[in-house]
Amino acid sequence: MRKYLLLSAVLLSGAAAGAWLMTQAGAETSAPPESADLAQGEKLYQSYCASCHGANLEGQPDWRSPGPDGTLPAPPHDETGHTWHHPDSVLFDYTRLGGKATLAAQGVDFASGMPGFGDQLSDDQIWNILAYIKSTWPDRQQQIQAERSAAESQREGN
């Protein structure tokens, strides 16, 4: 009987943790500020992101092939990567919560090497980093990404 009670407690704790993560991803995504501080975004990018994603947003070599531990190397954030394929809400959650937590909240089991920075960066700082990254893209990528963000925002009723 003790085993079943312990197992039940563990399962309930896991379910509660999963439910909490689901509410954290997307539900608390703050809206981008009306104006961004690109200079701060660039400085924060260099401090928090460049060690993995490259000082020039170039990503790590062979970023599309999993490493020995099964995780993909950090992708580029320039126009050659896939960052611009995602709406703002996904980019924000990925940065704030980390890749694994963000995807788990969407029901995807994925070995992501992207840590969450929500305990180190404010929402505005994250938005400034994202604005800096987006400012480096050619007009075409900026337009496509903006359209995807607007469509996602409409689906979510924002």
Side-chain angles (χ1 to χ4, degrees), residues 30-131:
S30 68
E34 291 296 317
S35 63
D37 184 338
L38 295 179
Q40 183 196 55
E42 181 177 13
K43 183 177 179 182
L44 290 168
Y45 176 88
Q46 294 302 326
S47 296
Y48 289 90
C49 314
S51 62
C52 292
H53 292 281
N56 297 310
L57 297 96
E58 72 275 14
Q60 293 177 339
D62 204 18
W63 61 275
R64 292 184 177 161
S65 299
D69 64 356
T71 61
L72 292 168
H77 286 315
D78 63 14
E79 74 276 6
T80 68
H82 61 81
T83 306
W84 60 272
H85 294 204
H86 301 291
D88 287 341
S89 61
V90 171
L91 299 177
F92 179 86
D93 287 346
Y94 222 84
T95 307
R96 184 171 182 259
L97 303 172
K100 187 165 182 64
T102 299
L103 293 171
Q106 297 173 14
V108 177
D109 183 22
F110 182 73
S112 172
M114 174 69 179
F117 288 92
D119 59 345
Q120 299 170 52
L121 298 167
S122 71
D123 288 0
D124 282 347
Q125 289 174 317
I126 293 171
W127 285 121
N128 287 336
I129 292 169
L130 295 175

